Amino acid sequence: MNYILFDGPSRNALLPFTFTRPVADILVGIMTIRQKWEMRLGSTTTTLTEEYLSEKFPMVEMEENVMINASFVPNAILAEMVGNLETNQAIFKGDEVVAFYTSENQEEVDFDTYEIIEFEGECLRIEHTWDIFSKNDAAIREDFELLTEDRKSQPIPKSVNVISPSTIFIEEGAKLEFVTLNASSGPIYIGKNAEIMEGSVIRGPFALCEGAVVKLATKVYGATTVGPQSRIGGEVNNSVLFGYSNKGHDGFLGNSVLGEWCNIGADSNNSNLKNNYEEVKLWSYETEGFEKTGLQFCGLMMGDHSKCGINTMFNTGTVVGVSANIFGSGFPRNFVPSFSWGGVSGFTTYITKKAFETARLVMGRRNVVFDEKESAILEHVFEETKKWRKE
């Protein structure tokens, strides 16, 4: 069967992260949503997404296809139901379509003509940016069980101070000595060729993905995920870093999400709790205003390629778009549009020529090419987000 993951109605609520990727490629837990579906289904997937993303994330349509709403995170039961879908069948959870069967010759999809199968079980769903960190605990636990089933961990080095070793899994090539791992509050997964440097103290649930690094004497509280090739230092609490991002120095990051190719300057901090303990509101790209999250703890949402200088301070519930560059003293406003350059004293437009030069250098350091596909995506984001920048 040919499986196609589509963005669905949650796409705009997941901006700025979905400016540069489909919903399916959001990292939550140990794997992206796409990787979870592919592992559960035993099949590759392609994507139906925004047109400007389709060259990098193409869709392959065949005679028979199953379309899957990428905001739904699969578990064993849901994946089995999707794998068993037949002609003219659709799976719904409440009013939301989860998956449906379609054919290449089908001109339109009319669910009134479909056999509707109700999914009445529980599963994770990523509908808002803050779901990425707030549901990360459950996602790590599910992924850990899936990835480690019937597999044997690499041995835990003797110098490691360990609590609950049965819920710690170390992949081949990982390096760690003289660290503390406490998995009593949730599993700890250490990916292939990842490294935890000496003196670090980590409390699960925690996922360190392939090639990622925890720097010297870092303090980590669960549920935290450090994406492939990313690096963390200082103090990190219940946060998710996508691939190739750095928070490598002292400073606090809490209840936050960083996209790819972000960099947090030394001694930078974010607030994750308002002084009056009220519910946190976040900027919404859908309503173009600040919307309630239902959370008391909520920190920084930072889109791909954005960076901040040393000693930057972020207010509770700050949203930073794509390719922003923030520096200077004081608290910048809690919505920084994409391609903004500046800080408290004001912002100017970070022109694409300069932004692309930086992206090319940053990606080149990790042996990744900044190609025409990447530049075309960022050019589109630049144009789409003009209305929020004060020129």
Side-chain angles (χ1 to χ4, degrees):
M1 183 54 67
N2 184 48
Y3 297 101
I4 300 171
L5 293 158
F6 66 92
D7 283 348
S10 297
R11 187 259 172 182
N12 289 343
L14 289 164
L15 296 169
F17 305 112
T18 46
F19 273 135
T20 47
R21 63 178 54 75
V23 173
D25 291 286
I26 285 174
L27 175 64
V28 59
I30 304 173
M31 298 181 283
T32 64
I33 298 172
R34 181 189 306 280
Q35 289 169 333
K36 300 175 205 293
W37 275 110
E38 291 185 343
M39 193 167 182
R40 296 277 189 190
L41 294 170
S43 173
T44 57
T45 63
T46 59
T47 309
L48 177 60
T49 186
E50 299 293 307
E51 185 177 348
Y52 74 93
L53 293 171
S54 61
E55 188 174 354
K56 182 177 179 182
F57 304 96
M59 179 178 75
V60 176
E61 191 173 21
M62 302 181 78
E63 288 186 13
E64 299 176 311
N65 310 282
V66 169
M67 308 291 293
I68 303 170
N69 185 337
S71 67
F72 285 91
V73 177
N75 54 29
I77 296 170
L78 182 56
E80 183 179 5
M81 290 175 67
V82 170
N84 290 333
L85 271 177
E86 296 180 358
T87 306
N88 225 47
Q89 289 183 331
I91 299 170
F92 273 71
K93 183 168 179 59
D95 295 329
E96 290 289 337
V97 63
V98 178
F100 60 96
Y101 185 103
T102 185
S103 64
E104 187 179 25
N105 299 325
Q106 196 168 342
E107 292 184 5
E108 62 179 29
V109 175
D110 180 3
F111 289 125
D112 289 338
T113 66
Y114 272 62
E115 177 192 349
I116 303 301
I117 302 168
E118 289 289 341
F119 174 62
E120 296 177 349
E122 295 298 320
C123 70
L124 295 177
R125 191 175 179 201
I126 305 303
E127 299 176 85
H128 306 282
T129 53
W130 57 86
D131 289 341
I132 299 170
F133 73 79
S134 64
K135 298 181 180 180
N136 199 44
D137 185 306
I140 289 176
R141 293 174 194 272
E142 287 185 3
D143 286 354
F144 185 88
E145 187 176 328
L146 180 62
L147 284 167
T148 64
E149 186 177 9
D150 298 325
R151 296 181 62 215
K152 187 176 181 181
S153 169
Q154 297 294 307
I156 299 173
K158 292 182 179 179
S159 68
V160 173
N161 182 27
V162 60
I163 303 171
S164 298
S166 62
T167 48
I168 295 172
F169 194 93
I170 303 173
E171 296 282 8
E172 185 178 355
K175 296 188 292 184
L176 62 159
E177 296 286 354
F178 298 100
V179 302
T180 295
L181 302 178
N182 181 357
S184 62
S185 54
I188 293 175
Y189 175 87
I190 302 169
K192 186 177 179 181
N193 298 325
E195 181 178 8
I196 305 176
M197 295 184 183
E198 307 91 278
S200 296
V201 180
I202 295 170
R203 180 183 288 261
F206 176 70
L208 188 66
C209 298
E210 183 172 352
V213 176
V214 177
K215 299 186 78 175
L216 285 168
T218 300
K219 296 177 287 186
V220 183
Y221 301 85
T224 291
T225 294
V226 184
Q229 310 301 325
S230 288
R231 299 171 184 176
I232 60 167
E235 183 179 3
V236 180
N237 175 39
N238 187 199
S239 295
V240 176
L241 286 76
F242 292 4
Y244 297 98
S245 284
N246 291 332
K247 189 260 172 220
H249 303 285
D250 283 346
F252 174 74
L253 183 73
N255 304 98
S256 298
V257 183
L258 306 185
E260 291 186 339
W261 305 108
C262 295
N263 189 73
I264 303 295
D267 289 317
S268 294
N269 295 277
N270 80 275
S271 168
N272 63 343
L273 175 67
K274 297 180 73 172
N275 285 353
N276 58 9
Y277 286 58
E278 284 185 351
E279 176 184 352
V280 179
K281 294 180 180 179
L282 273 186
W283 169 264
S284 166
Y285 286 90
E286 288 184 296
T287 64
E288 300 189 17
F290 290 88
E291 298 298 320
K292 293 180 178 180
T293 63
L295 300 175
Q296 192 175 50
F297 288 89
C298 186
L300 171 67
M301 305 287 134
M302 178 179 276
D304 289 12
H305 293 283
S306 286
K307 296 166 178 59
C308 70
I310 63 171
N311 297 308
T312 303
M313 299 186 295
F314 291 104
N315 271 307
T316 316
T318 294
V319 175
V320 177
V322 173
S323 228
N325 200 307
I326 302 164
F327 50 86
S329 60
F331 288 93
R333 60 195 186 198
N334 51 6
F335 169 53
V336 179
S338 298
F339 292 92
S340 295
W341 174 282
V344 173
S345 58
F347 287 91
T348 59
T349 296
Y350 190 14
I351 61 172
T352 53
K353 181 182 177 182
K354 292 291 186 182
F356 292 0
E357 285 175 0
T358 299
R360 193 170 287 109
L361 289 169
V362 170
M363 293 171 71
R365 291 178 68 237
R366 304 289 190 93
N367 299 313
V368 179
V369 176
F370 180 75
D371 58 18
E372 292 182 1
K373 292 179 184 178
E374 297 291 340
S375 64
I377 289 170
L378 293 180
E379 282 281 9
H380 181 95
V381 175
F382 180 84
E383 295 298 327
E384 188 179 338
T385 57
K386 266 186 177 179
K387 62 182 178 180
W388 292 304
R389 291 191 294 275
K390 293 181 180 179
E391 301 294 338

